[in-house]
């Protein structure tokens, strides 16, 4: 109890800390008034993803290249690069190639040989129809040997030859192609015309390779100001690679329509009444975008042209009033400009020819009266 006052007299009493874990650090005075230098640019090194080695301890080259490509196609927000859209990839081995077919004459000859073989086998077995047997006479009965294993084998071989010969006959048309497949594997494409023979075991899919066009239904879009529009487009296209168009995507026509709708969302369309330059720029942008999206699936797009552009129903009335107001303001500005030019010309002529001498007040009154007169006259004669 007695030690408290004695200690307090020898040393100052420390204040009680509210935060017991606080700590202070002395800062030199010259650092407080020192100009802070600008932060030096730091060059960031590209991130490298560790590549997995195989069983022998070697890193495959394809894996490193794929990672490098993946990093190169990133968003690039730090470097200010523009984001590139991801292009769909299709199996690189799925490329159109010609299929092996024979002329149609070969199929006809095989079929005729099969039918002739069946007829000879029937004569051999003695099972010809009664009319044919009567026509042949004793020769038909002399060759009768009955139906045995040899006759049945001859029937099977001749019948198979006839079925294969006649069953493989096909007719190729101009602008049409066949995509052939066997047990789910692509076997080639036939673009020939005329009579030909195709393996009857192959599955045939007919593809139209002519130049085609379709006009879609009105689709939602927007102009550069974000105003809602309804646009109907005309697309000119054709199938360039039948293998990818048939096997690379479920329905290439539906895929094309989806790509057109997606392009209309990403590209601003010229508003109704826009100039020729804006319309052509929108057409070029749409064509390039849709062509890039459909090229991997074997579809070649030549043009995407908006043929009908109108405002959406919810903004059509407002945009109509806005256009009328703009036209009215433009008309008023032109009328006012012509009136001012007429008044200036009249006053200048009167004063320069010495017909009247006007001071500032009289000049203002004359300008006012002439302006009212010209405006009233134009209002009576104008539409």
């Amino acid at each position: 109890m007695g030690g408290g006052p004695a200690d307090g007299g020898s040393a100052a009493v420390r204040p009680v800390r509210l935060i017991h874990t606080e700590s202070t650090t002395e800062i030199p005075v010259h650092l407080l008034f020192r100009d802070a230098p600008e932060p030096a640019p730091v060059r960031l090194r590209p991130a490298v993803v560790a590549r997995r080695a195989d069983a022998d301890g070697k890193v495959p080259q394809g894996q490193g290249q794929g990672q490098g490509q993946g990093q190169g196609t990133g968003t690039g927000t730090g470097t200010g690069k523009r984001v590139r859209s991801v292009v769909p990839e299709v199996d690189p081995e799925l490329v159109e190639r010609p299929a092996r077919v024979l002329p149609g004459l070969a199929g006809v000859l095989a079929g005729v040989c099969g039918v002739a073989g069946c007829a000879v086998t029937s004569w051999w077995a003695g099972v010809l129809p009664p009319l044919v047997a009567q026509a042949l006479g004793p020769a038909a009965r002399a060759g009768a040997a009955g139906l045995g294993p040899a006759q049945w084998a001859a029937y099977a071989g001749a019948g198979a030859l006839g079925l294969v010969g006649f069953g493989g006959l096909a007719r190729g048309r101009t602008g049409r192609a066949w995509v052939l497949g066997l047990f789910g594997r692509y076997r080639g494409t036939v673009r020939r015309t005329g009579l030909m023979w195709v393996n009857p075991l192959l599955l045939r899919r007919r593809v139209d390779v002519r130049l085609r066009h379709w006009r879609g239904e009105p689709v939602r879009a927007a102009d550069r100001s974000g105003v809602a529009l309804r646009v109907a487009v005309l697309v000119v296209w054709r199938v360039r690679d039948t293998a990818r168009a048939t096997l690379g995507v479920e329905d290439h026509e539906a895929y094309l329509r989806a790509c057109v709708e997606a392009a209309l969302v990403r590209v601003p369309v010229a508003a109704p009444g826009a100039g020729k330059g804006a319309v052509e720029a929108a057409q070029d942008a749409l064509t390039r975008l849709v062509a890039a999206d459909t090229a991997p699936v074997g579809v070649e797009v030549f043009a995407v042209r908006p043929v009908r552009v109108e405002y959406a129903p919810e903004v059509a009335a407002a945009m109509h009033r806005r256009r009328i107001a703009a036209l009215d303001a433009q008309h008023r500005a032109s009328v006012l400009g012509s009136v001012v030019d007429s008044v200036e010309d009249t006053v200048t002529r009167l004063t320069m020819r010495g017909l009247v001498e006007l001071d500032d007040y009289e000049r203002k009154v004359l300008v006012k009266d002439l302006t009212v007169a010209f405006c009233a006259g134009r209002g009576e004669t104008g539409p």
Side-chain angles (χ1 to χ4, degrees):
M1 296 293 295
D7 297 339
S10 61
V13 180
R14 295 180 179 180
V16 181
R17 291 184 177 182
L18 298 179
I19 303 176
H20 297 281
T21 58
E22 66 179 354
S23 61
T24 58
T25 303
E26 295 182 358
I27 303 176
V29 178
H30 68 280
L31 294 180
L32 297 177
F33 301 96
R34 185 178 180 181
D35 295 335
E38 297 181 358
V42 180
R43 188 173 182 179
L44 300 179
R45 301 179 62 185
V48 179
V49 182
R51 292 173 287 182
R52 181 179 299 177
D54 55 6
D56 298 336
K58 298 181 180 180
V59 180
Q61 297 181 359
Q63 186 177 359
Q65 295 176 358
Q67 291 175 358
Q69 294 175 359
Q71 294 175 2
T73 57
T75 56
T77 55
T79 58
K81 295 182 179 180
R82 187 176 180 182
V83 180
R84 293 184 296 175
S85 59
V86 180
V87 179
E89 296 182 359
V90 185
D91 186 4
E93 297 182 357
L94 187 61
V95 181
E96 179 181 337
R97 61 178 182 271
R100 297 179 180 178
V101 296
L102 297 177
L105 182 60
V108 173
L109 291 177
V112 171
C113 291
V115 173
C118 291
V120 172
T121 304
S122 300
W123 172 79
W124 180 25
V127 292
L128 292 174
L131 296 178
V132 177
Q134 292 177 3
L136 293 177
R141 292 188 295 272
L147 289 175
Q151 288 76 16
W152 285 114
Y155 267 126
L161 181 61
L163 291 177
V164 170
F166 288 122
L169 292 178
R171 184 183 62 173
R173 298 181 180 179
T174 303
R176 304 292 178 90
W178 275 316
V179 177
L180 307 181
L182 180 62
F183 302 116
R185 184 179 179 182
Y186 174 64
R187 304 298 297 178
T189 300
V190 179
R191 288 181 177 261
R192 296 177 56 178
T193 58
L195 187 63
M196 69 190 75
W197 182 86
V198 183
N199 187 352
L201 299 179
L202 297 178
L203 178 63
R204 309 174 190 177
R205 297 184 181 179
R206 188 180 294 274
V207 182
D208 193 344
V209 295
R210 295 174 297 180
L211 185 65
R212 305 172 62 185
H213 70 278
W214 59 271
R215 177 175 177 174
E217 298 294 332
V219 182
R220 284 189 169 273
D223 60 0
R224 295 186 179 275
S225 302
V227 179
L229 302 174
R230 293 183 66 85
V231 183
V233 296
L234 176 67
V235 184
V236 182
W237 63 284
R238 72 176 177 183
V239 175
R240 178 176 51 86
D241 193 317
T242 57
R244 292 191 172 186
T246 306
L247 305 176
V249 67
E250 183 177 1
D251 187 354
H252 59 274
E253 295 185 7
Y255 181 78
L256 176 61
R257 295 189 182 95
C259 289
V260 172
E261 294 181 4
L264 288 173
V265 173
R266 289 180 284 177
V267 176
V269 182
K276 182 179 179 180
V279 174
E280 291 181 352
Q283 291 180 3
D284 295 341
L286 287 173
T287 303
R288 288 195 301 269
L289 193 58
V290 176
D293 290 341
T294 57
V297 297
V299 176
E300 186 177 7
V301 176
F302 296 96
V304 180
R305 301 168 183 167
V307 295
R308 185 173 133 192
V309 182
E310 58 185 11
Y311 291 105
E314 59 270 15
V315 298
M319 296 306 298
H320 183 65
R321 291 193 298 269
R322 179 179 176 182
R323 173 169 293 185
I324 292 178
L327 293 176
D328 184 63
Q330 184 179 2
H331 176 69
R332 289 178 181 273
S334 62
V335 169
L336 181 60
S338 61
V339 168
V340 171
D341 293 340
S342 301
V343 171
E344 181 182 6
D345 184 58
T346 302
V347 174
T348 302
R349 288 184 178 184
L350 290 176
T351 54
M352 291 185 64
R353 292 182 180 182
L355 298 178
V356 292
E357 294 182 359
L358 304 173
D359 55 8
D360 293 340
Y361 177 75
E362 293 175 345
R363 185 184 298 273
K364 292 179 181 180
V365 173
L366 179 61
V367 168
K368 180 180 179 182
D369 295 340
L370 290 175
T371 303
V372 173
F374 287 154
C375 288
R378 288 182 177 271
E380 293 175 358
T381 58

